[in-house]
Amino acid sequence: PMHPADFKEVICGPAKRATKEGRPLKVAQDLVERLLAETAQGGDTLPLLALTMARLYEDYAGDGDLTVEEYEKMGGMHHVVQNGIDSVLSRYPGTREAGLKLLHDVFIPSLVTINDDLDQPIRGITEDQPTRRIAGWKDLRGRLPADARPLLDELVTQRFLVKYASEGTVFVEVALENLFRTWDELAEWLRAEAKDLKDAEAVRRGARQWVRNGLNAEYLLRGDRLNSAEDLAGRHQEWLDEDARSFLSASRAAADDDECAARGRLRRLRVITGIAFTFAVFAVLFAIVAQYNWAQVTVKQN
């Protein structure tokens, strides 16, 4: 994270450079102070500040200055995301509700998860906090109908998502995690589906450990954890990747084998118990007969 003192240069530096290059632009001092105060309220505000300044520049820099009044007209830093999402949705040919449903399926769980057990500590990220996931661009677009794909393109254009190539594959991820809190609908989805997202992440994490350890059966799920994971898969099969599905299948097979072996042990125990009981009955009868015979002999002798 940048030192708070450096944020002023982030706000004013580009305007100074534009002015030097012949495109005069001034950022009003009261706007600078307002932005500095609001960026001090969180650890991930730098991307949000960049998005805010870009919106201000695009919408209001034509007259050569950026003011508090223009900033407030735009909705301020804490509404820039929601306003931007609303703008994206306004371009969708269907209803707003239909557009939101499509965006829900794009983001959850492909682009966001809730991790309750971080594999490695990450500065600024705590347990049970929404975190970004990386998705394949082609796969993500393929899940949308043709008329909805411009929604995804617009999210990249508006800097809510960032797209990049690595080793010949194009990936996409959320550009700023502040999006998880400042986009109202997404924040509500995450609250409503937090448990399922955490459970899905736990299954994927378990699958990764299982694969890393050579498919060792010791890492498979058992009992209530397996039942809970299978219930999740029944409701959200698309949330689990191939490794996670294989992990659950192997866990179920191992659990069934354990149950079969347990039934076999129970049958053997019943057989052994039955034999032992039979011997016990014969032993008791033999003792009774022997006692009776001994008594008869005693009577005759007397």
Side-chain angles (χ1 to χ4, degrees), residues 192-201 232 235-236 239:
E193 301 180 69
K195 185 180 184 305
D196 282 351
L197 285 168
K198 287 196 293 184
D199 289 347
E201 181 60 30
L232 172 75
R235 289 180 288 109
H236 300 295
W239 287 17

Short mmCIF file of all heavy atoms in Angstrom, two decimals, residues 192-201 232 235-236 239:
data_model
loop_
_atom_site.label_atom_id
_atom_site.label_comp_id
_atom_site.label_asym_id
_atom_site.label_seq_id
_atom_site.Cartn_x
_atom_site.Cartn_y
_atom_site.Cartn_z
N ALA A 192 -25.61 -13.21 1.00
CA ALA A 192 -26.59 -14.30 0.95
C ALA A 192 -25.93 -15.65 0.68
O ALA A 192 -26.41 -16.68 1.16
CB ALA A 192 -27.64 -14.00 -0.12
N GLU A 193 -24.85 -15.66 -0.08
CA GLU A 193 -24.24 -16.92 -0.50
C GLU A 193 -22.88 -17.17 0.13
O GLU A 193 -22.12 -18.02 -0.34
CB GLU A 193 -24.12 -16.94 -2.03
CG GLU A 193 -25.48 -16.80 -2.72
CD GLU A 193 -25.40 -16.82 -4.23
OE1 GLU A 193 -25.09 -17.90 -4.78
OE2 GLU A 193 -25.65 -15.77 -4.86
N ALA A 194 -22.59 -16.46 1.21
CA ALA A 194 -21.28 -16.55 1.84
C ALA A 194 -20.94 -17.98 2.27
O ALA A 194 -19.83 -18.47 2.02
CB ALA A 194 -21.20 -15.60 3.05
N LYS A 195 -21.88 -18.66 2.91
CA LYS A 195 -21.59 -20.01 3.40
C LYS A 195 -21.29 -20.97 2.25
O LYS A 195 -20.32 -21.73 2.30
CB LYS A 195 -22.74 -20.55 4.23
CG LYS A 195 -22.43 -21.91 4.86
CD LYS A 195 -23.58 -22.43 5.69
CE LYS A 195 -23.19 -23.75 6.38
NZ LYS A 195 -22.72 -24.77 5.43
N ASP A 196 -22.11 -20.93 1.21
CA ASP A 196 -21.87 -21.81 0.07
C ASP A 196 -20.55 -21.49 -0.61
O ASP A 196 -19.83 -22.41 -1.05
CB ASP A 196 -23.01 -21.70 -0.94
CG ASP A 196 -24.26 -22.47 -0.49
OD1 ASP A 196 -24.16 -23.21 0.50
OD2 ASP A 196 -25.32 -22.31 -1.14
N LEU A 197 -20.21 -20.21 -0.71
CA LEU A 197 -18.93 -19.84 -1.32
C LEU A 197 -17.76 -20.34 -0.48
O LEU A 197 -16.76 -20.84 -1.02
CB LEU A 197 -18.85 -18.32 -1.48
CG LEU A 197 -19.68 -17.74 -2.63
CD1 LEU A 197 -19.76 -16.22 -2.51
CD2 LEU A 197 -19.08 -18.13 -3.97
N LYS A 198 -17.85 -20.23 0.85
CA LYS A 198 -16.80 -20.74 1.72
C LYS A 198 -16.69 -22.26 1.61
O LYS A 198 -15.58 -22.81 1.56
CB LYS A 198 -17.05 -20.33 3.18
CG LYS A 198 -16.79 -18.87 3.47
CD LYS A 198 -16.67 -18.61 4.95
CE LYS A 198 -17.96 -18.80 5.67
NZ LYS A 198 -17.85 -18.43 7.11
N ASP A 199 -17.83 -22.92 1.58
CA ASP A 199 -17.82 -24.38 1.48
C ASP A 199 -17.22 -24.83 0.14
O ASP A 199 -16.46 -25.81 0.09
CB ASP A 199 -19.23 -24.94 1.62
CG ASP A 199 -19.77 -24.81 3.05
OD1 ASP A 199 -18.96 -24.52 3.96
OD2 ASP A 199 -20.99 -24.98 3.24
N ALA A 200 -17.56 -24.13 -0.94
CA ALA A 200 -17.01 -24.47 -2.24
C ALA A 200 -15.50 -24.26 -2.27
O ALA A 200 -14.75 -25.08 -2.82
CB ALA A 200 -17.68 -23.63 -3.34
N GLU A 201 -15.04 -23.18 -1.65
CA GLU A 201 -13.60 -22.92 -1.59
C GLU A 201 -12.90 -24.00 -0.77
O GLU A 201 -11.80 -24.44 -1.11
CB GLU A 201 -13.34 -21.55 -0.99
CG GLU A 201 -11.86 -21.17 -0.90
CD GLU A 201 -11.17 -21.14 -2.25
OE1 GLU A 201 -11.84 -20.84 -3.27
OE2 GLU A 201 -9.96 -21.45 -2.30
N LEU A 232 -23.64 -29.52 -1.34
CA LEU A 232 -23.24 -28.31 -2.07
C LEU A 232 -23.14 -28.60 -3.57
O LEU A 232 -23.64 -27.83 -4.39
CB LEU A 232 -21.90 -27.81 -1.54
CG LEU A 232 -21.27 -26.66 -2.33
CD1 LEU A 232 -21.99 -25.35 -2.04
CD2 LEU A 232 -19.79 -26.51 -2.00
N ARG A 235 -26.34 -28.66 -5.40
CA ARG A 235 -26.98 -27.37 -5.64
C ARG A 235 -26.15 -26.46 -6.55
O ARG A 235 -26.70 -25.60 -7.25
CB ARG A 235 -27.21 -26.66 -4.30
CG ARG A 235 -28.32 -27.30 -3.47
CD ARG A 235 -28.55 -26.59 -2.15
NE ARG A 235 -27.47 -26.83 -1.20
CZ ARG A 235 -26.58 -25.95 -0.81
NH1 ARG A 235 -26.61 -24.72 -1.30
NH2 ARG A 235 -25.65 -26.26 0.07
N HIS A 236 -24.82 -26.64 -6.53
CA HIS A 236 -23.94 -25.75 -7.29
C HIS A 236 -22.84 -26.55 -7.99
O HIS A 236 -21.66 -26.31 -7.79
CB HIS A 236 -23.30 -24.72 -6.36
CG HIS A 236 -24.27 -23.83 -5.65
ND1 HIS A 236 -25.07 -22.93 -6.31
CD2 HIS A 236 -24.56 -23.69 -4.32
CE1 HIS A 236 -25.81 -22.28 -5.43
NE2 HIS A 236 -25.53 -22.72 -4.22
N TRP A 239 -20.02 -24.74 -9.68
CA TRP A 239 -19.03 -24.03 -8.87
C TRP A 239 -17.75 -24.83 -8.67
O TRP A 239 -16.75 -24.27 -8.23
CB TRP A 239 -19.62 -23.71 -7.49
CG TRP A 239 -20.64 -22.63 -7.49
CD1 TRP A 239 -21.33 -22.14 -8.57
CD2 TRP A 239 -21.12 -21.90 -6.36
NE1 TRP A 239 -22.20 -21.17 -8.18
CE2 TRP A 239 -22.11 -20.99 -6.83
CE3 TRP A 239 -20.83 -21.94 -5.01
CZ2 TRP A 239 -22.78 -20.13 -5.98
CZ3 TRP A 239 -21.50 -21.07 -4.16
CH2 TRP A 239 -22.47 -20.18 -4.64
#
